[in-house]
Structure formats: C-alpha cells, structure tokens
C-alpha cells in the first residue's frame, strides 16, 4: 500500500472519530450544515457511507455512541496520537473558515457584543435599546413597557447570551405567550454555534447548561416546575472557611500541627496539608447570580377572563417571589387598566426602575426610526419606499384601544364602543310613593382580590309603575368593607321604607365571589356593631326580599345581552347626579373598563326584574290609587273620602306585593 494511500486512510479514520465525538457532545445540534462544514474543513466529502450515517435521525445519538463506534474510536486513537491532537482543533478551524468570529475571553460590553457576536447576527442596538440598557441593567427590579414590534425581545435575547457568558448569570425566562420559546431557541442557538453547551440527556433549547457553569431554563409563567429547579439553597461550604474551621476540617484526615512538628511522613496520611488546601481552593467557586426575566406575562384574554390575572398575581406572590433572584425583569406591553404590570408597579414601588415608552418621544421624534415612519416625518414617502412601516396605518388597522394599550402603553377605555351615551333625568316622578312599585338594590361582590380591599359593585334604583322604566338613583360601588356595606344598605332600607312604605324593596345579590357570605350575614345577623360601639338592628330581612342570583357563562357577553337593549332604548335611565359615577364610566367604557362590578350589579338587577317581577303582580290597584290621588289633589274628590280610599287601596297593595312572597322573607324580632 502506498504511503499516499495510507495517509488517506488515516485521514478518513481521524475524520470519522471527530464526527463521532461531535455527535456525542452535541446530540441535538447535528444537521446537514454542521456535517458539511466538517467535510469541507477536512476535505473528506467523498465518503458517501459516512455522509449517510450522519444524516440518520438526531435522536439516535442522544444516548451516545454504539459499542462498535466506541471500539472504532479506541482503534483510531491508538494508531495516531498526533492526528488526534490535530482533530481537537478541527471544528474551531472549520468555524473560522466559515467566517465565524471567535468569542473574546473578556467582556466586550453589551453594545459591542450585540454588534459582533450575538445570534441572530444583528447589526447592533437601536438608540432606544442602548438607552434602555443604560437605565435598567444595574437595577435589581426593572420594568420595560415599549411598543409592539420595536425590539424588546431582541434586546433580551442578546442580553441573556451576554449575561450568561460574561456576567456570571443564570437565566430563568418565564412568559405566557409562545414568544418565550422563540427567544429560548435563539439563546440555545448562540451557545450551540460557539460550541459552549454542556450536553446531556436532558439538554434541550429550553433547559441547558453551558461550559462555564451557566444555566438557562424557560417555563410557562404559571408552571409549578419553577420551584425546586432554582431554589437550591446557599451551597457555600468552602467559600467562607475560617482558619479555625480549616484546622477542624484537616483534623478529620489526621493532619495536625503536632504531626508536622514530630516529622510524621506524608505517606502516613491520606492527604498532605498542601494537597488538602489545594482541594479546598478548588471547591471555592465563583457564585453565579440568578436573573428571572418575565417576558409577555399576559395577553388580551386576561382582560376578558379576569380570573387569569388573579391567578397570575397569586402565583407570583406565593411561588415566584420566594425564589429570591439577584435580578428581576418585567417586559411586555400593556393590555388593560389594573393588569399584571400595574400589580408589579404597586408591589415594588420606588424600587422598580421603569422604562416606559410610546411610539413617539416627547420631542416629537420616533422612538424607533430605524424600523418605522410616520406622516409627520419629513422623509415619509422615501422611508416608505425604503421598507419602513407606517405607524399611522398600524393604528388604523388595529383600532384605537389596541393602539393605546399595545403601542402607547396607555390602555384607557375607548368611550362609546357599545353605548355612546346615557339618558339622565333631573327629577323623579312624584309622588314617588305612588309612581314606583319596586326599589331594587343590587350587590356584586368582586371575585378579584385587590391590593387594598375587595371592590364591590352596589347600585340602587326604582322601577316606574306604569312605564316599567328603571331609574338608577344611587351608586355605592367602591372599596368598602363587608360589614360597612351591610350597615349602609340597612340604613338605606330603613330610611326608604319609613318615607315610602308602598314600593317593594328587593336586594339582588350575586352568589359568587363572597355573595353567599353576604346573604348569610344579611339574613341571620340580629344587629350591626358600629365602630363607636353603637348597636343597630338588622332590618334587611324584615323589610326587603333577598334575591340570590347565580351567574354562568362569560361575563362580558352576559352583561352585553342583558343591558344592550334596555340602555339603548332608554328603558334604563340615570339620575343626573350620577354623570361622573362609577356605573356611568363602566357603561360608557364597556367592554374595556378596568372594573366591571357596578355594571355587573346593574345587569343582575335587570335580569331579576325581567324574569321574576315582570308580570308577577296585578298593577290595577296601583293605577287606580294613583288616579284617585290625582283627583283628590285637583279637588274633584273629598279629602276624607280620598283618605278612606287610600287606606283601602294601600291595604290591597300590600297584600298583593308583600304577602305573596311572605314565605321568602324572614322577620327578626
């Protein structure tokens, strides 16, 4: 066999070894591009059998090499150690030939890292991204709220890579949307590209370690797996060892100062003193810091399904906050008033460094002129031709609410989407006692736990006898303690009944979210204890009919169905004193209201009035009494006769409206 032929066989064998080694170290990375680079680098592209072997599914290599391949590697290693040494540098040489810049050994700084080393190969930071980094990097708690599509996740992607490689950070990435998976894949690709991943059977783009000890994990923000994975305690056995402790430690190996003085041989001990100190030094490692980054923690569905927001806040308080990382980051776009970002702002207060930007800077320039343009820009048409996106067109396409929340970080409700106006009245028809047959009070105990107290919807109204119109007279919605609201309602009922004994009083209570407890207290409490020690009798079960209501289905659609026609047709009207009330704001801003408790209370009362009280009573006695009262007022009826008739009709009215539901009322004596 010629020397040339022998050399060729050595090259092929050495190449096979290198490929096997690469496959074993990088089981999830192997692809045609990697193999092609190896072939090209070693000029072994004519080995068709080897090519076919490498193209086999990547999963074959997850458990390492086959027995035959291991034996082949041993054979090659024993034949040519020099070739083995050369092959160790093969892959880096191949990367350099492909134009890959090696990573520097020292930290180049984040801007230079993004310009030259990050994956994907960005051309550096935008101006706003540089400003953002300068403001937030040193902060323990930072929040970034910037417009959609402006490069927030791009910045985080590069910063994860840089922080893990040069700043001794481990990264725990949490999110709600699938964007977190894309970012995790980018970070994984970076460390894979530079051959820095420490592979094992559990390695994936979402959970991996790198050669310098860094770790990356990506989870759904509500995942329970985040605990235990990162809360492993302070493992610092050797990092702060004192001289006295070291003496204690070395004594366990039979090494004492007396032995040293007596000339005891090192062979008589398991370790020499120098060897022991060297071991201790090797166990003292640099502490890696943990960075928890929460990116896109919510989507627009959280506004419609508020229980998601509640569960996320509860999960953060009970689970995530207990991890105690070295750095917190919260990134995304606003969705509605009272969302997760409002929760975080209130939680961390002045400690939180905020970077909040809209599409325009205060001076009228664009936040990201590198990607976007606007009709106010002088070179607007030229920039459109250059491929930049028109922000005014984006606004037109997505609508006002999405624009103000996702792009302007100001999710204020858009008035008039469902109801553009309300009908207000200045005065009630009189006499009130004759013109109205029902006084309704509706309470919606909030299902969400707020930072100060529960927010409760409470509205009061009257139903006109002849027209059936509802006039909303009071709005007590707000943050109010349970017992205080009961006392307020009790006082109103007693006062109203004393002044206007004819109308039936009904109390509508939604059972969910604490409503059952509210009903129990309103029914069974004998008296209320005021802060000053005064005791007041509970007259609610004696004077009012309690109507529980259990709602099912989606809240927004339920409210829309129950109230759309009555409000549009002005069957539901409001006293003019309520122009700036909570109920008026929630109706006009629906469905984008930050709170829905007052409007939900109104929807509940409308349902009960239509389903239970629509044709429940005979209203002829009421109309007759009203007509007689009018005759007496105009002088067409003797006063004494009017009083007699009034007494008789009042008795019939009470029998009709009250006695019929006597079984559902409970008197407290």
């Amino acid at each position: 066999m010629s020397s040339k032929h022998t050399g060729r066989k050595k090259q092929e064998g050495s190449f096979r070894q290198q490929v096997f080694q690469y496959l074993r170290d990088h089981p999830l990375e192997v692809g045609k591009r990697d193999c092609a680079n190896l072939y090209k680098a070693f000029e072994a592209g004519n080995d068709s059998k080897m090519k076919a072997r490498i193209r086999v599914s990547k999963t074959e290599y997850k458990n390492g090499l086959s027995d035959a391949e291991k034996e082949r590697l041993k054979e090659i290693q024993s034949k040519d150690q020099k070739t083995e040494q050369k092959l160790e540098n093969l892959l880096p040489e191949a990367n350099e030939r492909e134009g890959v810049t090696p990573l520097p050994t020292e930290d180049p700084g984040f801007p230079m890292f993004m310009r030259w080393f990050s994956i994907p190969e960005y051309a550096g930071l935008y101006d706003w991204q540089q400003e953002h980094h300068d403001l937030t990097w040193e902060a323990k708690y930072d929040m970034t709220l910037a417009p959609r599509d402006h490069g927030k996740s791009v910045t985080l992607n590069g910063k994860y890579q840089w922080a893990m490689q040069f700043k001794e950070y481990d990264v725990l990435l949490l999110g709600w949307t699938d964007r977190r998976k894309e970012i995790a894949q980018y970070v994984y690709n970076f460390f894979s590209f530079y051959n820095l991943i420490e592979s094992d059977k559990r390695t994936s783009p979402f959970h991996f370690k790198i050669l310098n000890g860094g770790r990356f994990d990506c989870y759904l923000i509500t995942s329970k797996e985040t605990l235990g994975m990162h809360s492993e305690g302070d493992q610092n056995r050797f990092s702060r060892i004192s001289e006295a402790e070291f003496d204690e430690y070395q004594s366990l190996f039979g090494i004492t100062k007396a032995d040293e003085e007596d000339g005891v041989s090192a062979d008589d001990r398991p370790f020499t003193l120098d060897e022991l100190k060297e071991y201790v030094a090797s166990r003292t490692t640099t502490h890696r810091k943990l960075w928890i980054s929460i990116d896109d923690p919510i989507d627009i569905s959280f506004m419609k399904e508020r229980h998601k927001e509640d569960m996320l806040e509860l999960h953060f308080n009970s689970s995530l906050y207990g991890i105690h990382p070295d750095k917190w980051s919260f990134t995304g776009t606003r969705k509605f008033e009272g969302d997760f970002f409002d929760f975080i702002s209130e939680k961390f207060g002045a400690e939180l460094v905020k970077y909040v930007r809209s599409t325009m800077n205060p001076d009228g320039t664009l936040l990201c002129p590198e990607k976007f343009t606007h009709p106010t820009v002088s070179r607007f048409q030229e920039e459109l031709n250059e491929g930049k996106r028109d922000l005014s067109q984006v606004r037109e396409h997505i609508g006002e609410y999405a624009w103000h929340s996702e792009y302007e970080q100001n999710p204020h409700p858009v008035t008039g989407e469902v109801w553009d106006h309300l009908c207000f009245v200045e005065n009630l028809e009189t006499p009130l006692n004759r013109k109205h047959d029902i006084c309704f009070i509706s309470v919606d105990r909030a299902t969400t736990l707020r930072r100060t107290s529960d927010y409760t919807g409470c509205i009061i109204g009257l139903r006109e006898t002849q027209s059936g119109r509802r006039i909303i007279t009071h709005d007590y919605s707000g943050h109010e303690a349970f017992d205080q609201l009961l006392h307020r309602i009790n006082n109103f009922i007693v006062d109203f009944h004393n002044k206007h004994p004819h109308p039936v009083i009904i109390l509508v209570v939604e059972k969910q979210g604490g409503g059952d407890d509210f009903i129990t207290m309103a029914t069974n409490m004998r008296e209320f204890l005021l802060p000053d020690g005064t005791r007041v009798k509970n007259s609610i079960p004696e004077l009012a009919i309690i109507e529980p209501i259990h709602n099912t289905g989606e809240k927004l659609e339920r409210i829309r169905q129950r109230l759309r026609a009555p409000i549009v047709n002005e069957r539901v009207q409001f006293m003019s004193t309520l122009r700036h009330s909570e109920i008026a704001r929630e109706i006009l801003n629906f469905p984008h209201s930050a709170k829905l408790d007052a409007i939900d209370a109104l929807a509940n009362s409308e349902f009960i009035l239509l389903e239970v009280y629509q044709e429940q009573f005979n209203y002829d006695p009421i109309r007759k009494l009203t007509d007689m009262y009018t005759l007496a007022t105009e002088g067409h009826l003797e006063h004494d006769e009017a009083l007699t008739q009034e007494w008789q009709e009042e008795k019939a009215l009470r029998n009709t409206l009250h006695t019929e539901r006597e079984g559902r009322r409970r008197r407290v004596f």
Side-chain angles (χ1 to χ4, degrees):
M1 184 179 293
S2 66
S3 60
K4 179 178 181 182
H5 183 69
T6 303
R8 180 62 178 172
K9 294 298 288 184
K10 283 185 178 180
Q11 287 184 351
E12 291 177 2
S14 299
F15 173 70
R16 179 186 294 270
Q17 174 197 359
Q18 175 61 26
V19 171
F20 284 160
Q21 186 68 33
Y22 180 74
L23 294 178
R24 183 172 63 182
D25 293 342
H26 305 80
L28 301 180
E29 326 291 319
V30 181
K32 294 181 179 179
R33 177 179 178 184
D34 299 307
C35 298
N37 287 342
L38 288 171
Y39 278 114
K40 182 178 179 181
F42 212 71
E43 299 178 349
N46 61 345
D47 190 338
S48 58
K49 184 177 180 180
M50 192 65 199
K51 286 183 178 180
R53 180 70 182 89
I54 294 173
R55 291 194 185 102
V56 178
S57 172
K58 303 173 186 179
T59 56
E60 277 192 40
Y61 297 95
K62 288 186 177 180
N63 297 321
L65 306 179
S66 66
D67 292 337
E69 288 168 342
K70 291 177 182 177
E71 292 297 323
R72 177 61 177 157
L73 283 178
K74 292 179 181 178
E75 180 184 351
I76 295 170
Q77 291 169 353
S78 64
K79 284 184 177 180
D80 195 341
Q81 294 295 331
K82 292 184 179 180
T83 304
E84 174 73 11
Q85 184 64 36
K86 181 179 179 181
L87 289 172
E88 290 180 1
N89 301 322
L90 174 61
L91 190 59
E93 291 175 4
N95 281 341
E96 289 174 6
R97 293 178 186 181
E98 291 295 313
V100 177
T101 306
L103 283 177
T105 57
E106 300 294 332
D107 178 17
F110 182 58
M112 294 299 291
F113 175 86
M114 285 293 289
R115 177 67 179 90
W116 298 109
F117 304 108
S118 63
I119 299 294
E121 297 175 343
Y122 302 113
L125 296 172
Y126 298 147
D127 289 343
W128 83 262
Q129 293 170 330
Q130 176 69 65
E131 178 189 44
H132 167 267
H133 173 72
D134 295 339
L135 177 67
T136 62
W137 174 245
E138 298 297 334
K140 180 177 176 61
Y141 309 98
D142 70 79
M143 176 187 290
T144 303
L145 298 173
R148 181 69 63 194
D149 301 326
H150 275 55
K152 299 183 298 298
S153 296
V154 166
T155 307
L156 287 175
N157 165 42
K159 197 166 292 188
Y160 300 150
Q161 301 168 14
W162 170 69
M164 290 177 65
Q165 182 64 23
F166 296 106
K167 292 298 182 181
E168 299 174 349
Y169 269 101
D170 295 337
V171 173
L172 173 57
L173 173 60
L174 305 175
W176 177 260
T177 67
D178 283 346
R179 182 61 171 163
R180 73 183 190 281
K181 298 180 181 179
E182 299 176 19
I183 298 303
Q185 186 68 61
Y186 286 150
V187 178
Y188 180 80
N189 289 346
F190 167 81
F191 289 105
S192 172
F193 185 76
Y194 288 104
N195 305 312
L196 296 173
I197 292 180
E198 185 179 310
S199 298
D200 57 33
K201 295 180 180 180
R202 295 168 295 179
T203 299
S204 75
F206 311 115
H207 310 284
F208 62 88
K209 295 180 180 179
I210 59 177
L211 297 181
N212 68 3
R215 179 172 179 170
F216 180 90
D217 288 288
C218 175
Y219 292 99
L220 182 71
I221 190 170
T222 54
S223 173
K224 297 178 181 178
E225 296 180 67
T226 52
L227 287 182
M229 295 295 294
H230 294 270
S231 185
E232 299 176 352
D234 190 9
Q235 301 177 15
N236 59 352
R237 176 177 296 163
F238 296 102
S239 62
R240 295 188 293 269
I241 187 169
S242 67
E243 286 295 330
E245 289 172 327
F246 186 79
D247 290 341
E248 176 188 32
Y249 180 65
Q250 69 180 4
S251 68
L252 301 176
F253 296 92
I255 302 175
T256 65
K257 293 182 179 180
D259 290 337
E260 295 289 343
E261 294 172 356
D262 293 341
V264 177
S265 172
D267 295 335
D268 297 331
R269 295 188 299 266
F271 295 100
T272 66
L273 184 59
D274 290 339
E275 288 173 338
L276 193 62
K277 288 185 176 180
E278 182 179 350
Y279 172 76
V280 171
S282 70
R283 303 301 296 168
T284 305
T285 58
T286 302
H287 170 65
R288 291 191 66 86
K289 296 167 285 188
L290 176 59
W291 176 12
I292 296 184
S293 179
I294 297 179
D295 187 18
D296 278 344
I298 58 175
D299 61 23
I300 197 63
S301 69
F302 279 59
M303 181 179 71
K304 194 173 184 179
E305 303 170 63
R306 297 300 174 92
H307 65 276
K308 290 183 179 180
E309 174 70 26
D310 304 331
M311 290 303 299
L312 176 56
E313 294 177 11
L314 180 62
H315 181 65
F316 183 89
N317 284 334
S318 62
S319 300
L320 297 181
Y321 187 73
I323 299 177
H324 302 302
D326 299 276
K327 181 175 177 61
W328 284 100
S329 292
F330 308 92
T331 308
T333 58
R334 296 294 307 275
K335 297 297 185 291
F336 54 91
E337 291 179 320
D339 61 14
F340 182 72
F341 295 106
D342 276 345
F343 165 77
I344 292 298
S345 295
E346 185 168 343
K347 186 173 190 64
F348 293 106
E351 295 181 274
L352 185 67
V353 175
K354 297 181 182 180
Y355 184 88
V356 183
R357 298 292 186 273
S358 62
T359 55
M360 292 282 190
N361 293 316
D363 61 1
T365 59
L366 293 177
L367 177 67
C368 188
E370 297 88 348
K371 288 186 63 177
F372 295 93
T373 187
H374 191 269
T376 58
V377 176
S378 58
R379 296 184 62 255
F380 173 63
Q381 195 59 50
E382 291 88 337
E383 291 183 349
L384 283 180
N385 296 335
E386 294 170 1
K388 296 183 180 181
R389 294 180 62 188
D390 180 6
L391 286 171
S392 64
Q393 188 179 64
V394 172
R395 180 174 185 173
E396 180 181 349
H397 288 170
I398 66 175
E400 287 301 300
Y401 184 81
W403 170 260
H404 284 289
S405 57
E406 302 258 356
Y407 283 81
E408 299 299 292
Q409 311 312 311
N410 180 26
H412 63 273
V414 180
T415 301
E417 185 167 319
V418 178
W419 297 285
D420 57 3
H421 74 283
L422 300 177
C423 180
F424 292 98
V425 296
E426 297 294 333
N427 300 294
L428 293 171
E429 287 196 36
T430 56
L432 185 145
N433 207 33
R434 309 298 181 207
K435 295 291 186 178
H436 305 86
D437 62 340
I438 292 179
C439 171
F440 55 91
I441 306 168
S442 185
V443 176
D444 175 38
R445 291 286 295 168
T447 58
T448 59
L449 295 177
R450 295 300 169 190
R451 267 68 70 187
T452 53
S453 64
D454 289 355
Y455 192 91
T456 300
C458 180
I459 58 98
I460 299 175
L462 297 169
R463 186 173 74 174
E464 292 184 353
T465 303
Q466 292 187 350
S467 66
R469 287 183 302 177
R470 297 87 158 107
I471 310 297
I472 309 304
T473 59
H474 298 75
D475 180 9
Y476 291 151
S477 302
H479 295 283
E480 191 162 20
F482 209 77
D483 53 346
Q484 292 177 351
L485 181 61
L486 271 171
H487 180 241
R488 180 195 288 262
I489 292 175
N490 182 70
N491 286 349
F492 176 87
I493 290 175
V494 171
D495 183 63
F496 183 85
H497 178 74
N498 290 336
K499 294 178 179 178
H500 314 289
H502 288 87
V504 174
I505 302 174
I506 62 173
L507 176 59
V508 182
V509 183
E510 184 174 8
K511 296 178 67 176
Q512 297 100 311
D516 281 330
D517 294 337
F518 190 89
I519 293 172
T520 300
M521 293 179 66
T523 304
N524 297 326
M525 287 187 66
R526 300 178 64 88
E527 55 189 11
F528 300 109
L529 180 62
L530 304 185
D532 61 1
T534 306
R535 295 181 180 273
V536 178
K537 178 186 175 183
N538 176 16
S539 300
I540 294 176
E542 178 183 353
L543 302 179
I545 301 172
I546 299 177
E547 294 283 359
I549 179 172
H550 181 82
N551 288 314
T552 59
E554 198 276 313
K555 176 181 283 191
L556 293 181
E557 189 59 30
R558 182 179 73 239
I559 293 173
R560 192 192 308 266
Q561 290 178 356
R562 291 178 180 176
L563 293 180
R564 185 178 182 88
I567 293 178
V568 170
N569 297 330
E570 298 184 355
R571 296 277 295 173
V572 174
Q573 301 179 0
F574 303 83
M575 293 298 297
S576 59
T577 54
L578 300 180
R579 290 184 185 275
H580 304 292
S581 63
E582 178 65 25
I583 182 63
R585 283 193 296 270
E586 290 184 17
I587 293 174
L588 294 176
N589 296 335
F590 185 83
H592 305 299
S593 307
K595 302 179 182 65
L596 297 171
D597 305 286
I599 191 174
D600 200 18
L602 178 60
N604 292 337
S605 66
E606 185 66 15
F607 177 81
I608 292 296
L609 290 175
L610 289 177
E611 295 295 325
V612 181
Y613 292 89
Q614 182 179 16
E615 298 177 355
Q616 190 72 31
F617 309 114
N618 176 15
Y619 294 107
D620 288 339
I622 303 173
R623 297 189 181 96
K624 183 177 180 182
L625 181 61
T626 303
D627 294 340
M628 293 179 63
Y629 206 89
T630 302
L631 292 174
T633 303
E634 295 175 352
H636 302 299
L637 193 67
E638 292 295 330
H639 187 64
D640 291 342
E641 181 182 356
L643 292 178
T644 302
Q645 293 283 358
E646 178 183 352
W647 180 84
Q648 293 175 350
E649 295 298 341
E650 179 179 342
K651 182 177 179 180
L653 178 67
R654 291 187 64 84
N655 287 337
T656 303
L657 299 184
H658 288 255
T659 309
E660 187 168 333
R661 288 182 172 269
E662 187 68 28
R664 300 181 60 181
R665 303 165 64 204
R666 177 177 179 274
R667 297 183 180 276
V668 178
F669 299 99

